[in-house]
Amino acid sequence: MSPQQPSEDDHVNSERSLTQLAWAIESSAGQFKLILARCNYGSLRDRLISRLREICQVEIRILTVQQSNRTLYTAIQEEFGEEMPVCVMVVGLESVQNLSVILTSANQVREEFRKNFAFPLVLWIDDEIYKQLIQLAPDLESWATTRNFAISTQELVAFIIEMANQWFSDNLKFSVDIYLQL
């Protein structure tokens, strides 16, 4: 097997998962469906969302959760009001100050999601958020279908090299965004 092969396999698997995600979104238009998109890397997630918007036949609206948001349901409701989007993707859960409150409240009002949000809801989460979701919102998690997106070895090595080069050249400005990216 050549060194190139794992990268190609990872790319094929990501593309297949992305196609499955697009199909799940399209087939769920007009009804509530909770989809968990598991991805540990913000840059990969952003590329996947961009690609998904290209291949998906429905309009995807993105909601970036704010650090101060206390409930996911209210954040969605305030963002879209009476408007009924075709699909909503939620990003930024990793930056929420008190994620346990958001997850617990989402679990408590899960029936309200189903009653009032007639669209697929895609939550982009990492492994740590997924663990908390299982622990704090098991009923909500049981409704979800999950798609996993892994970074290729080549992309991970390139990312580590880039961060190391920035660190050694004293160009790495450590901030919350960089921390979350790492």
Side-chain angles (χ1 to χ4, degrees):
M1 187 183 302
S2 71
Q4 200 73 327
Q5 190 63 35
S7 176
E8 290 172 14
D9 287 347
D10 289 341
H11 177 72
V12 168
N13 289 336
S14 279
E15 191 66 28
R16 183 179 307 121
S17 289
L18 207 55
T19 302
Q20 291 170 345
L21 179 55
W23 180 85
I25 290 169
E26 292 166 0
S27 65
S28 301
Q31 60 188 346
F32 178 74
K33 180 172 183 80
L34 180 61
I35 303 168
L36 304 176
R38 289 179 61 185
C39 180
N40 287 320
Y41 301 93
S43 59
L44 174 61
R45 178 199 64 211
D46 294 344
R47 285 196 314 273
L48 290 169
I49 290 172
S50 178
R51 176 76 178 120
L52 188 60
R53 287 178 133 175
E54 292 172 8
I55 65 172
C56 198
Q57 300 298 312
V58 299
E59 180 187 11
I60 297 171
R61 303 283 303 273
I62 298 189
L63 170 65
T64 302
V65 179
Q66 304 302 308
Q67 287 183 352
S68 59
N69 285 131
R70 295 189 48 80
T71 71
L72 181 60
Y73 182 83
T74 305
I76 295 169
Q77 205 170 39
E78 287 174 355
E79 178 73 19
F80 301 106
E82 294 299 314
E83 174 188 356
M84 191 61 64
V86 180
C87 174
V88 172
M89 287 194 166
V90 175
V91 297
L93 286 168
E94 65 279 354
S95 68
V96 173
Q97 290 174 351
N98 200 347
L99 183 61
S100 61
V101 171
I102 283 193
L103 295 177
T104 303
S105 69
N107 197 58
Q108 291 170 346
V109 299
R110 64 189 173 280
E111 285 297 331
E112 296 303 311
F113 284 97
R114 190 185 307 238
K115 284 187 220 172
N116 299 311
F117 296 159
F119 51 81
L121 176 63
V122 181
L123 303 180
W124 285 89
I125 60 174
D126 60 23
D127 289 345
E128 287 303 312
I129 295 172
Y130 186 65
K131 288 175 192 173
Q132 288 185 48
L133 183 69
I134 290 171
Q135 186 178 45
L136 299 170
D139 299 322
L140 186 65
E141 189 274 333
S142 72
W143 284 3
T145 59
T146 304
R147 292 282 166 244
N148 296 308
F149 298 95
I151 194 167
S152 72
T153 305
Q154 229 174 14
E155 285 179 291
L156 182 57
V157 168
F159 175 74
I160 292 170
I161 289 171
E162 178 188 342
M163 289 296 119
N165 287 338
Q166 287 182 19
W167 175 262
F168 290 120
S169 66
D170 204 27
N171 288 331
L172 183 62
K173 305 298 182 221
F174 206 71
S175 65
V176 172
D177 291 335
I178 294 295
Y179 168 76
L180 293 173
Q181 192 177 32
L182 293 173

Short mmCIF file of all heavy atoms in Angstrom, two decimals, residues 48-70:
data_model
loop_
_atom_site.label_atom_id
_atom_site.label_comp_id
_atom_site.label_asym_id
_atom_site.label_seq_id
_atom_site.Cartn_x
_atom_site.Cartn_y
_atom_site.Cartn_z
N LEU A 48 -16.18 20.72 4.90
CA LEU A 48 -17.28 19.79 4.67
C LEU A 48 -18.61 20.52 4.51
O LEU A 48 -19.41 20.17 3.64
CB LEU A 48 -17.37 18.78 5.83
CG LEU A 48 -16.23 17.77 5.92
CD1 LEU A 48 -16.29 17.03 7.25
CD2 LEU A 48 -16.25 16.81 4.75
N ILE A 49 -18.84 21.53 5.31
CA ILE A 49 -20.08 22.31 5.19
C ILE A 49 -20.13 23.00 3.83
O ILE A 49 -21.17 23.00 3.16
CB ILE A 49 -20.22 23.33 6.34
CG1 ILE A 49 -20.49 22.59 7.66
CG2 ILE A 49 -21.33 24.34 6.05
CD1 ILE A 49 -20.46 23.49 8.88
N SER A 50 -19.02 23.56 3.41
CA SER A 50 -18.96 24.22 2.11
C SER A 50 -19.27 23.22 0.99
O SER A 50 -20.06 23.50 0.09
CB SER A 50 -17.58 24.83 1.91
OG SER A 50 -17.48 25.44 0.66
N ARG A 51 -18.66 22.05 1.06
CA ARG A 51 -18.90 21.01 0.06
C ARG A 51 -20.35 20.53 0.11
O ARG A 51 -20.98 20.31 -0.92
CB ARG A 51 -17.93 19.85 0.28
CG ARG A 51 -18.14 18.67 -0.63
CD ARG A 51 -17.62 18.93 -2.04
NE ARG A 51 -17.83 17.72 -2.83
CZ ARG A 51 -18.58 17.69 -3.93
NH1 ARG A 51 -19.14 18.78 -4.40
NH2 ARG A 51 -18.74 16.56 -4.58
N LEU A 52 -20.89 20.38 1.32
CA LEU A 52 -22.27 19.94 1.49
C LEU A 52 -23.24 20.92 0.84
O LEU A 52 -24.21 20.51 0.20
CB LEU A 52 -22.58 19.77 2.97
CG LEU A 52 -23.92 19.14 3.32
CD1 LEU A 52 -24.04 17.74 2.74
CD2 LEU A 52 -24.11 19.12 4.82
N ARG A 53 -22.97 22.19 1.00
CA ARG A 53 -23.83 23.21 0.38
C ARG A 53 -23.80 23.11 -1.14
O ARG A 53 -24.76 23.47 -1.80
CB ARG A 53 -23.43 24.60 0.84
CG ARG A 53 -23.83 24.87 2.28
CD ARG A 53 -23.38 26.22 2.72
NE ARG A 53 -24.47 26.91 3.39
CZ ARG A 53 -24.35 28.08 3.97
NH1 ARG A 53 -23.19 28.72 3.96
NH2 ARG A 53 -25.38 28.64 4.55
N GLU A 54 -22.69 22.63 -1.69
CA GLU A 54 -22.59 22.44 -3.15
C GLU A 54 -23.40 21.24 -3.62
O GLU A 54 -24.04 21.31 -4.67
CB GLU A 54 -21.12 22.22 -3.56
CG GLU A 54 -20.23 23.41 -3.39
CD GLU A 54 -18.76 23.07 -3.64
OE1 GLU A 54 -18.46 21.93 -4.08
OE2 GLU A 54 -17.91 23.94 -3.38
N ILE A 55 -23.38 20.15 -2.87
CA ILE A 55 -24.00 18.91 -3.37
C ILE A 55 -25.44 18.72 -2.90
O ILE A 55 -26.17 17.94 -3.49
CB ILE A 55 -23.17 17.66 -2.99
CG1 ILE A 55 -23.12 17.46 -1.48
CG2 ILE A 55 -21.79 17.73 -3.58
CD1 ILE A 55 -22.49 16.13 -1.05
N CYS A 56 -25.85 19.41 -1.85
CA CYS A 56 -27.19 19.24 -1.32
C CYS A 56 -28.19 20.05 -2.14
O CYS A 56 -27.93 21.19 -2.50
CB CYS A 56 -27.21 19.68 0.15
SG CYS A 56 -28.64 19.06 1.05
N GLN A 57 -29.33 19.44 -2.39
CA GLN A 57 -30.35 20.06 -3.24
C GLN A 57 -31.26 21.04 -2.49
O GLN A 57 -32.12 21.65 -3.10
CB GLN A 57 -31.22 18.97 -3.88
CG GLN A 57 -30.45 18.00 -4.75
CD GLN A 57 -29.79 18.69 -5.93
OE1 GLN A 57 -30.42 19.46 -6.64
NE2 GLN A 57 -28.50 18.43 -6.13
N VAL A 58 -31.08 21.17 -1.17
CA VAL A 58 -31.90 22.10 -0.39
C VAL A 58 -31.01 23.17 0.23
O VAL A 58 -29.81 22.97 0.40
CB VAL A 58 -32.70 21.36 0.71
CG1 VAL A 58 -33.64 20.34 0.11
CG2 VAL A 58 -31.79 20.71 1.73
N GLU A 59 -31.63 24.29 0.56
CA GLU A 59 -30.88 25.38 1.19
C GLU A 59 -30.57 25.03 2.63
O GLU A 59 -31.43 24.61 3.40
CB GLU A 59 -31.69 26.68 1.15
CG GLU A 59 -30.95 27.83 1.79
CD GLU A 59 -31.78 29.09 1.93
OE1 GLU A 59 -33.00 29.05 1.73
OE2 GLU A 59 -31.18 30.13 2.28
N ILE A 60 -29.31 25.21 2.98
CA ILE A 60 -28.85 24.94 4.33
C ILE A 60 -28.55 26.28 5.01
O ILE A 60 -27.76 27.06 4.51
CB ILE A 60 -27.59 24.06 4.32
CG1 ILE A 60 -27.91 22.70 3.70
CG2 ILE A 60 -27.02 23.92 5.73
CD1 ILE A 60 -26.69 21.85 3.44
N ARG A 61 -29.20 26.52 6.13
CA ARG A 61 -28.95 27.72 6.92
C ARG A 61 -28.05 27.34 8.09
O ARG A 61 -28.20 26.26 8.67
CB ARG A 61 -30.27 28.29 7.46
CG ARG A 61 -31.30 28.62 6.38
CD ARG A 61 -31.00 29.91 5.63
NE ARG A 61 -30.89 31.06 6.48
CZ ARG A 61 -31.90 31.83 6.88
NH1 ARG A 61 -33.13 31.56 6.50
NH2 ARG A 61 -31.69 32.86 7.66
N ILE A 62 -27.14 28.22 8.43
CA ILE A 62 -26.18 27.93 9.49
C ILE A 62 -26.43 28.86 10.67
O ILE A 62 -26.56 30.08 10.50
CB ILE A 62 -24.73 28.05 8.98
CG1 ILE A 62 -24.54 27.03 7.89
CG2 ILE A 62 -23.75 27.89 10.13
CD1 ILE A 62 -23.16 26.83 7.40
N LEU A 63 -26.46 28.27 11.85
CA LEU A 63 -26.59 29.01 13.09
C LEU A 63 -25.31 28.78 13.89
O LEU A 63 -24.97 27.64 14.21
CB LEU A 63 -27.79 28.52 13.90
CG LEU A 63 -27.90 29.05 15.33
CD1 LEU A 63 -28.12 30.56 15.34
CD2 LEU A 63 -28.99 28.34 16.09
N THR A 64 -24.61 29.87 14.17
CA THR A 64 -23.43 29.79 15.02
C THR A 64 -23.88 30.12 16.43
O THR A 64 -24.30 31.25 16.71
CB THR A 64 -22.34 30.77 14.55
OG1 THR A 64 -22.01 30.46 13.19
CG2 THR A 64 -21.10 30.65 15.42
N VAL A 65 -23.80 29.13 17.30
CA VAL A 65 -24.22 29.31 18.69
C VAL A 65 -23.23 30.26 19.36
O VAL A 65 -22.03 30.17 19.16
CB VAL A 65 -24.25 27.95 19.42
CG1 VAL A 65 -24.64 28.12 20.87
CG2 VAL A 65 -25.19 26.99 18.73
N GLN A 66 -23.77 31.19 20.13
CA GLN A 66 -22.95 32.16 20.85
C GLN A 66 -22.55 31.61 22.21
O GLN A 66 -23.28 30.80 22.78
CB GLN A 66 -23.72 33.47 21.02
CG GLN A 66 -24.21 34.08 19.72
CD GLN A 66 -23.07 34.35 18.75
OE1 GLN A 66 -22.09 34.99 19.11
NE2 GLN A 66 -23.19 33.86 17.52
N GLN A 67 -21.44 32.08 22.72
CA GLN A 67 -20.96 31.63 24.03
C GLN A 67 -22.01 31.83 25.12
O GLN A 67 -22.11 31.06 26.05
CB GLN A 67 -19.70 32.39 24.43
CG GLN A 67 -18.48 31.99 23.67
CD GLN A 67 -17.25 32.75 24.16
OE1 GLN A 67 -17.34 33.66 24.98
NE2 GLN A 67 -16.10 32.36 23.66
N SER A 68 -22.79 32.88 24.97
CA SER A 68 -23.76 33.23 26.02
C SER A 68 -25.10 32.50 25.88
O SER A 68 -25.93 32.62 26.79
CB SER A 68 -24.00 34.74 25.98
OG SER A 68 -24.50 35.11 24.71
N ASN A 69 -25.33 31.79 24.79
CA ASN A 69 -26.59 31.07 24.64
C ASN A 69 -26.77 30.06 25.77
O ASN A 69 -25.84 29.37 26.14
CB ASN A 69 -26.68 30.35 23.30
CG ASN A 69 -26.93 31.28 22.13
OD1 ASN A 69 -26.23 31.20 21.13
ND2 ASN A 69 -27.90 32.15 22.23
N ARG A 70 -28.00 30.02 26.29
CA ARG A 70 -28.28 29.08 27.37
C ARG A 70 -29.14 27.91 26.91
O ARG A 70 -29.12 26.86 27.53
CB ARG A 70 -28.93 29.80 28.55
CG ARG A 70 -27.98 30.82 29.18
CD ARG A 70 -28.48 31.40 30.47
NE ARG A 70 -28.97 30.49 31.47
CZ ARG A 70 -28.21 29.77 32.30
NH1 ARG A 70 -26.91 29.84 32.21
NH2 ARG A 70 -28.77 29.00 33.21
#
